[in-house]
Structures are given as structure tokens and as C-alpha cells.
């Protein structure tokens, strides 16, 4: 396994030259925000060289490739817009993502109200290549631009009795058709983590992907990326982050608790009632090509398994 890498591994090394060339061109075109992104990527050079080489060997040894941007950008789960995969890439273009305000509050010493520019100044994004695995059985390998969630949480300074973190997506019924017409999921979309999970360095807030700002359909302007959990935990278009003392009532867990656990750690041995979780289809691969074996914690077991020591992962799925 690879791609556990926080830094040191640049997407230019795993994608094909053509795609990267396109990305460099677009990088040149974007100003402010991405200047920060590029500076962040450049910092990869300061990462421990041996670790970096080990990651690159691992990557070369696996047969994984970066998912093509067009695949990640046109096959989306974004239920505020649609219950189908193709429509969000069009419908989400109507979303208002500027100006945007992110509130960080609840059980914290130092509540924050931040614009996206504030966030970028405080926490310059770096490129992080991460695996994503949806509970439906498809997966991707994505170069995100983001920063560790714990940087933001530390700044807000959780109180000692804070135990969980609740994330809330935007309400924008004027642009999000299902918020007007669909009661299948309660709106706004809500997700949650235990505080120690949220403080793990692999828990990321992403503001970009493929060297550019996030596309609306992929969660602009800011989303969570929790690579060891099923994709539905990686909530898009976040407006509020709150530290709480009780387990947050999350959207999917609330509507179908037997299907979607609070933890939702990727686990090939715990099937979903409708889908075996043993294998996955990398986005972009043909439906008839062999599926990839799904790994415990989506391949990040070395980093995150300690968070769940002593827990029965079948019960607390
Ligand atoms: N607000 C919000 N966030 C969301 C969702 C959603 O419907 N609404 N879908 C989730 C699911 S099920 C998945 S698999 C990922 C998909 O992210 P992607 O479309 O960027 O690949 O987003 C997650 N975040
Ligand atoms: Mo998903």
C-alpha cells in the first residue's frame, strides 16, 4: 500500500505526463489561493528523504494510478443535487461558493469565523495524495490540496470535555434541488468524528484538487477528506464545525443505522447489507476489468488502527 504519504510524493510522479502538463498550465493561471498551494507542494522537498523514497517505491510496486480528474469530476455523490452520479457536475455549477463563511465553535475556548481567504492564509494547503473509497464499491486516488484538520481545531482549542466533532454542510435550497424536493435525507447534510479521529494528521480539510480550486461538485469551497473511512464521511461544502460532548447525529446513520455506522471505517470483512465490501472498482476502469481488493482502513491501517484498539469493528462499523 502507498498513498498514505502526506508529503514527499508529488502527483507529477504518479500521473501521466500529459495530464500533469495540463495541470501545470492551469496552475500558472490561478492566482492567490493556488500560489499558496504551489508553495505547499514545493515544501514536499523538506520531507525526510528516506521516507519519501520508500513511499515512491511502494507506489511503483503497486499498480495504482492517480484517478483522472475527469473521472472524479463527473461521477459524484452529492445528494443535495441528485441521487444519480452524472447530474451533480452540471447542477452544482449554480452553487454560490463566494463569499463563504466557516464557523468553528461549540465546546472550544476560541470560536472562529473565517473566510476561505483567512483559512488559506492561516493554513497554506499542501498537495496530499489520498485514496477515496465509497461504500458503494468504487474508489479513487486523488491529489487533494488541503491542510490537516487538527491545525484548525488546535487554533479553536477544544475544551477538555469535548469528545466529538460535528460538521455541517451548507443549506442552499435556491441552488440545491433536493433540499427543496427531497426528504429522503434530512438537510443539512451532517457528519461527525470522534475528537481523536479528527485530530489525526490524516484527517484533512481540502480546498483544492489536481492543483486547482475544488470544483463545486467535489465539495467547494471546503470539504473533509477522511481517507480511511467510507466516502460519505468526507462531507462537502462545510459551513460549520462544532466540538460536542455527545455523539453527533449524522445524516446517513440517522436515516439507515443498520446500513451506515457512525464510524464507517473501510473494512473488507464487514459487508454492507447490499454490497460486499471485499473489493472495489477504481474509477475510470472498465466495469468488466478485475476489481481491486479493498484493504482494512482503506490501506491506512498502519497509521490509524491504534485509534480503534480494543473496539469490535463488526459491532462499531
Ligand atoms: N454535503 C455532502 N457531502 C458529501 C455527500 C453528499 O451527498 N453531500 N456525499 C458523500 C459521499 S457518499 C461520497 S462517496 C463523497 C464523494 O465525493 P466526490 O464526489 O468528490 O468523489 O462525498 C461525500 N460528501
Ligand atoms: Mo459514498
Amino acid at each position: 500500500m502507498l498513498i498514505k504519504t502526506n508529503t514527499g510524493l508529488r502527483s507529477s510522479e504518479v500521473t501521466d505526463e500529459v495530464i500533469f502538463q495540463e495541470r501545470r498550465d492551469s496552475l500558472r493561471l490561478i492566482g492567490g489561493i493556488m500560489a499558496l498551494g504551489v508553495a505547499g507542494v514545493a515544501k514536499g522537498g523538506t520531507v525526510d528523504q528516506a521516507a519519501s523514497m520508500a513511499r515512491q517505491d511502494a507506489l511503483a510496486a503497486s499498480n495504482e494510478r492517480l484517478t483522472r480528474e475527469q473521472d472524479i469530476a463527473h461521477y459524484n455523490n452529492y445528494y443535495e443535487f441528485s441521487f444519480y452520479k452524472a447530474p451533480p457536475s452540471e447542477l452544482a455549477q449554480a452553487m454560490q461558493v463566494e463569499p463563504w463563511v466557516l464557523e468553528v465553535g461549540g465546546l472550544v475556548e476560541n470560536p472562529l469565523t473565517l473566510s476561505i481567504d483567512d483559512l488559506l492564509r492561516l493554513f497554506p494547503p499542501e498537495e496530499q495524495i489520498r485514496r477515496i473509497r465509497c461504500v458503494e464499491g468504487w474508489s479513487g486516488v486523488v491529489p487533494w490540496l488541503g491542510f490537516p484538520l487538527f491545525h484548525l481545531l488546535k487554533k479553536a482549542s477544544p475544551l477538555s470535555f469535548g469528545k466529538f466533532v460535528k460538521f455541517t454542510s451548507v443549506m442552499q435550497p435556491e441552488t440545491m434541488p433536493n433540499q427543496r424536493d427531497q426528504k429522503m435525507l434530512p438537510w443539512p447534510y451532517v457528519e461527525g468524528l470522534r475528537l481523536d479521529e479528527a485530530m489525526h494528521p490524516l484527517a484533512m480539510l481540502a480546498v483544492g484538487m489536481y492543483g486547482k480550486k475544488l470544483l463545486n461538485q467535489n465539495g467547494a469551497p471546503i470539504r473533509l477528506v477522511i481517507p480511511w473511512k467510507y466516502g460519505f464521511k468526507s462531507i462537502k461544502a462545510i459551513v460549520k464545525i462544532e466540538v460536542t460532548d455527545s455523539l453527533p447525529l449524522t445524516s446517513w446513520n440517522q436515516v439507515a443505522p443498520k446500513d451506515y455506522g457512525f464510524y464507517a471505517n473501510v473494512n473488507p470483512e464487514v459487508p454492507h447489507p447490499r454490497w460486499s465490501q471485499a473489493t472495489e472498482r477504481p474509477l475510470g476502469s472498465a466495469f468488466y476489468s478485475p476489481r481491486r481488493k479493498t484493504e482494512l482502513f482503506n490501506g491506512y491501517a498502519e497509521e490509524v488502527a491504534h485509534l480503534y484498539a480494543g473496539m469490535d469493528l463488526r459491532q462499531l462499523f
Side-chain angles (χ1 to χ4, degrees):
M1 182 48 228
L2 65 137
I3 308 172
K4 29 185 82 153
T5 157
N6 344 349
T7 43
L9 178 62
R10 296 184 45 169
S11 59
S12 54
E13 287 155 354
V14 288
T15 188
D16 40 68
E17 208 30 59
V18 182
I19 295 175
F20 186 65
Q21 183 59 47
E22 280 170 18
R23 179 160 345 130
R24 265 203 310 257
D25 293 345
S26 54
L27 272 175
R28 235 177 270 125
L29 296 173
I30 14 187
I33 158 182
M34 285 312 139
L36 291 169
V38 175
V41 172
K43 266 196 281 171
T46 65
V47 162
D48 174 66
Q49 284 299 314
S52 162
M53 282 172 65
R55 287 183 192 117
Q56 287 172 47
D57 287 351
L59 182 63
S62 86
N63 50 16
E64 288 213 81
R65 318 204 54 191
L66 215 60
T67 305
R68 288 185 312 169
E69 181 183 3
Q70 65 187 78
D71 290 323
I72 282 289
H74 293 97
Y75 188 90
N76 299 105
N77 277 334
Y78 208 156
Y79 299 105
E80 286 89 334
F81 292 101
S82 173
F83 288 99
Y84 298 93
K85 309 293 180 213
S89 58
E90 284 186 18
L91 295 172
Q93 302 318 313
M95 235 184 122
Q96 290 303 126
V97 297
E98 268 175 29
W100 195 267
V101 177
L102 175 68
E103 282 183 58
V104 187
L107 303 176
V108 298
E109 244 163 68
N110 180 30
L112 304 165
T113 301
L114 301 165
S115 68
I116 298 298
D117 280 351
D118 295 335
L119 281 164
L120 296 175
R121 259 190 301 275
L122 287 166
F123 314 108
E126 296 190 20
E127 184 162 89
Q128 315 279 2
I129 297 170
R130 299 281 186 257
R131 307 197 73 256
I132 177 169
R133 168 61 158 83
C134 174
V135 73
E136 298 161 342
W138 55 266
S139 65
V141 180
V142 180
W144 303 102
L145 283 166
F147 57 90
L149 171 62
F150 80 84
H151 287 177
L152 177 61
L153 289 172
K154 267 194 166 163
K155 187 159 178 63
S157 189
L159 298 171
S160 60
F161 47 100
K163 295 283 180 286
F164 297 93
V165 186
K166 176 183 173 184
F167 303 84
T168 307
S169 283
V170 72
M171 276 305 285
Q172 215 174 87
E174 55 299 0
T175 68
M176 296 175 152
N178 280 349
Q179 287 188 343
R180 303 192 297 265
D181 316 330
Q182 263 290 344
K183 302 282 177 266
M184 205 184 121
L185 270 182
W187 310 114
Y189 193 101
V190 169
E191 258 309 331
L193 297 169
R194 236 171 36 197
L195 184 56
D196 62 330
E197 297 179 308
M199 296 298 284
H200 192 285
L202 280 178
M204 169 173 43
L205 282 168
V207 293
M209 57 177 213
Y210 298 87
K212 295 176 283 199
K213 282 193 206 186
L214 274 183
L215 299 170
N216 289 357
Q217 63 266 36
N218 293 104
I222 186 163
R223 72 172 295 169
L224 207 55
V225 172
I226 308 294
W228 70 95
K229 293 178 180 281
Y230 291 119
F232 68 88
K233 300 295 289 183
S234 293
I235 182 173
K236 298 174 175 179
I238 303 169
V239 291
K240 207 192 288 174
I241 299 178
E242 294 161 280
V243 176
T244 66
D245 55 1
S246 58
L247 193 94
L249 196 56
T250 56
S251 298
W252 286 103
N253 186 235
Q254 183 180 352
V255 297
K258 295 205 178 82
D259 296 2
Y260 308 103
F262 173 80
Y263 284 95
N265 291 315
V266 173
N267 190 337
E269 294 186 353
V270 178
H272 178 280
R274 289 192 297 286
W275 305 290
S276 151
Q277 296 294 14
T279 64
E280 64 202 44
R281 183 180 74 85
L283 278 190
S285 69
F287 278 92
Y288 47 79
S289 58
R291 291 169 67 91
R292 182 182 188 279
K293 275 208 166 70
T294 291
E295 293 173 79
L296 182 61
F297 299 116
N298 206 19
Y300 300 95
E302 226 175 275
E303 287 87 346
V304 302
H306 69 274
L307 294 171
Y308 310 102
M311 272 174 56
D312 179 349
L313 298 176
R314 286 183 179 276
Q315 288 300 314
L316 296 167
F317 58 96

